[in-house]
């Protein structure tokens, strides 16, 4: 996606906009966010194992909380869940006869 793409209006995250502007794909941007959040979770858990009061502003440090953070970042980067109509489609398309 480039800066002229009308779908850029769905991208709230400035870092994702910069990524798209520099030619990164949505998958590359998603990987960046996921890696960042997983790395942060590991650091928080390791820090709290040594000192339970470490990273007081991070939150609970649970897998579920991290998953919510990742989903929020992806939505801010312009990702959208599939339309409910798509979810009702068969797994394999019908062969045209």
């Amino acid at each position: 996606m480039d800066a002229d793409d009308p779908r850029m209006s769905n991208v709230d995250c400035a870092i994702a906009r910069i990524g798209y502007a520099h030619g990164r794909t949505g998958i590359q941007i998603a990987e960046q966010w996921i890696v960042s959040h997983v790395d942060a979770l590991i650091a928080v858990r390791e820090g709290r194992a040594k000192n339970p009061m470490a990273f007081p502003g991070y939150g609970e440090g649970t897998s579920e909380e991290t998953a919510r953070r990742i989903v929020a970042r992806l939505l801010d980067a312009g990702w959208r869940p599939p339309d409910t109509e798509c979810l009702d489609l068969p797994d394999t398309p019908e062969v045209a006869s």
Side-chain angles (χ1 to χ4, degrees):
M1 186 165 27
D2 61 27
D4 298 328
D5 193 309
R7 295 173 295 173
M8 284 299 284
S9 64
N10 293 332
V11 180
D12 296 328
C13 176
I15 295 173
R17 286 179 166 277
I18 291 168
Y20 285 124
H22 285 92
R24 297 194 69 183
T25 66
I27 295 294
Q28 291 170 324
I29 292 168
E31 287 173 350
Q32 170 191 342
W33 285 123
I34 292 167
V35 167
S36 297
H37 283 286
V38 170
D39 285 347
L41 177 63
I42 291 168
V44 167
R45 287 192 170 177
E46 287 176 353
R48 288 183 179 171
K50 296 173 186 169
N51 174 6
M53 301 306 291
F55 303 102
Y58 184 79
E60 296 175 20
T62 64
S63 299
E64 294 80 10
E65 180 184 54
T66 302
R68 288 191 297 273
R69 288 175 189 221
I70 292 169
V71 169
R73 284 292 188 173
L74 294 178
L75 291 173
D76 285 349
W79 287 60
R80 295 293 177 262
D83 295 332
T84 55
E85 293 174 5
C86 292
L87 298 175
D88 294 332
L89 294 174
D91 290 338
T92 55
E94 295 179 19
V95 177
S97 43

